[in-house]
Every structure is written in structure tokens, then in C-alpha cells.
Amino acid sequence: MRRAVIFDVENSSRVEHIARMLEHLGLGTLDRQTRLMAVGNWGVIGYETARLLARHGAELVHTAPAFGVKDWSDLRIAVTAGIWLAGARPGDVLDIITDDQAFDAVGDVAAGRGVDFHRLSYRALVGARQITPRESASDDGARRRRTGRRRTRRAAPGGRATVAGREGASSAQRRSHGGSPSAAQPAPADEILAVLREMLAGARGQPVTLDALSSALKARGFSRPPGSPRLVTRLRQMKDIEVSPSGTIRPAKKD
């Protein structure tokens, strides 16, 4: 039996999440029958993520976005899966690690060839209590630092506690855009532009990276729902913005 595992790294690039998924999949030392591929724009993905996957024998497939091509990484993952399926035999296994439900279409092709297909994601497995969540070291450090601050907890109805400060503001902001605090809420276009302008103003003429903009939006309580366009795709559709193949953002040059 052969097995292939494809990570959609741009969809979920946090080191602690990927480490937990590798443990869940039993991907310690790869044998000759197992192929691990990590696909994404490595120009905007952290080095720690690359090192972790490389230590596990992963092939790091770079997918720098091409001008005029939407969802370039999604296309590369689909092509990679298709090439592998072309040589697959009944009983082989293909796992794609992503929240993007569009890849369920790969499962239809896999079923036609007798291949066992799974689309898995860290968030879905945690929600189904099939794996336990793992917190990052930075989260632990931030929690330790908060213990010495004057940040109070107020009892909420039903016995649950709410944290005063930025966390409460983020929850209120998410609710203002509809949905519960735990639901993924995409950032409106005007919010993206507002955050980007603030970052560009503070960059003193230097471009802003796609990763930095994504982190700033997440800090405000926004995230990409499964199946929705990627941030780079939305930025390319906006006027007065240029996104380079390496993932840097700057104001478009005026004619």
C-alpha cells in the first residue's frame, strides 16, 4: 500500500498545529511507500514550519503566485494530487490536510480509482474531539506575562468568565460582523484596506508582507472561512494595490 499526504500549508501554517497533525497521522520516519508534500508560498510562511516539515522528510513545494492566476496554491495542490492519483492503485491512501472543502472533489476522483481519500484539518479534528488542541509556546508565554498585569475577569451569566481588554473587543468586533465569536469571519474589503494603509504608513516606504497583513487581520478577530478566496486573491482584485510574486504588498504605481 502506498500513501501520500499533502499539506495545504497556507491554509494552516502554525507550527504547533502541523506538529499535532503529524503525530495524529503517525508520520514519524517516512518509509519508501509514504510521500509527504507541503505546498504553499514559502516566501510568506515561517521558517519554523519549513524546518519541522523538512525534519519529517517532507517535500517543500513552492507556489509563488503568478500574476492573473487566482488561488495558485489550490491549483498546484490539485495538480499534485492528480499526478499522484494517476499512478495510484486500489487500496492506496491519499490524505489532504486543509480546511478547504473544494478539495473534496479530489475524493471523487480517488474513489473512482479505488484509493482511500481523507480530507483532514486540525480545527475539524479538535472540534470533533479526535485530537487534543496544542497551544503554542508564545501563547503560554503571553499567558504567564498576563498574570502580573491588572487584567481582571468578570463573571458572565451562566458562570463563564470573560477577559476584559483586547480579547473582549475582538469578540465584540466579530459579533458586529455577524456570527458567533468562534465562527470564522472574513475581513471586509474596507477593513483590509484600512489595516494595510496603517501598516504601509508605519513601514516608511517599505512594502508590507502578506504574512504580516494576515497576522494583523487575525489579531482583529478576522479569519478565512473554509472555501472562501485567499487573502492574496482578494488583494489582487483590489485597485491601487500591487502584490509581488514573493508576497510583498505595496501601493500600485500611478500612470
Side-chain angles (χ1 to χ4, degrees):
M1 181 192 75
R2 295 194 310 157
R3 182 186 186 188
V5 180
I6 303 176
F7 267 89
D8 182 1
V9 187
E10 289 183 44
N11 188 272
S12 179
S13 60
R14 295 187 63 175
V15 176
E16 60 273 14
H17 293 182
I18 291 179
R20 191 68 186 88
M21 288 300 299
L22 290 170
E23 292 177 6
H24 177 74
L25 294 168
L27 295 175
T29 302
L30 301 182
D31 54 31
R32 294 183 179 180
Q33 301 299 317
T34 303
R35 186 178 179 188
L36 175 60
M37 294 164 279
V39 182
N41 182 357
W42 290 99
V44 297
I45 299 171
Y47 292 120
E48 291 184 3
T49 299
R51 292 191 188 101
L52 171 64
L53 287 163
R55 283 199 302 268
H56 282 77
E59 305 169 32
L60 307 184
V61 183
H62 182 53
T63 61
F67 180 77
V69 179
K70 298 180 179 179
D71 292 330
W72 183 262
S73 293
D74 288 354
L75 178 62
R76 184 59 184 269
I77 292 171
V79 171
T80 300
I83 294 174
W84 187 86
L85 282 171
R89 299 177 179 178
D92 289 347
V93 178
L94 173 61
D95 298 320
I96 296 183
I97 314 304
T98 181
D99 285 316
D100 199 334
Q101 297 178 358
F103 289 110
D104 289 341
V106 177
D108 296 336
V109 179
R113 298 188 60 84
V115 173
D116 190 10
F117 173 79
H118 309 97
R119 180 179 65 83
L120 305 170
S121 77
Y122 175 83
R123 281 183 285 270
L125 290 173
V126 169
R129 297 184 178 181
Q130 295 185 28
I131 62 175
T132 56
R134 170 176 291 183
E135 298 178 346
S136 65
S138 60
D139 291 341
D140 293 339
R143 185 174 293 105
R144 286 193 294 270
R145 289 192 298 271
R146 285 199 297 267
T147 58
R149 297 179 183 177
R150 293 182 179 179
R151 181 166 294 193
T152 60
R153 290 180 177 268
R154 297 190 300 268
R160 299 180 62 182
T162 60
V163 180
R166 181 176 296 179
E167 295 176 6
S170 297
S171 298
Q173 189 175 29
R174 285 193 294 266
R175 286 193 296 269
S176 67
H177 290 279
S180 64
S182 60
Q185 297 296 329
D190 56 349
E191 184 75 16
I192 295 176
L193 289 173
V195 174
L196 180 58
R197 290 192 185 101
E198 291 179 6
M199 298 179 70
L200 288 170
R204 299 180 180 179
Q206 297 298 317
V208 172
T209 66
L210 185 64
D211 195 31
L213 176 59
S214 177
S215 297
L217 291 171
K218 288 180 180 178
R220 298 195 178 200
F222 299 109
S223 60
R224 174 182 174 235
S228 65
R230 296 175 182 271
L231 178 59
V232 64
T233 301
R234 299 184 63 188
L235 289 171
R236 290 186 183 278
Q237 295 173 344
M238 297 179 182
K239 297 180 180 180
D240 303 326
I241 294 176
E242 289 183 352
V243 184
S244 73
S246 62
T248 59
I249 313 164
R250 65 173 71 242
K253 298 179 180 179
K254 297 183 179 179
D255 297 333

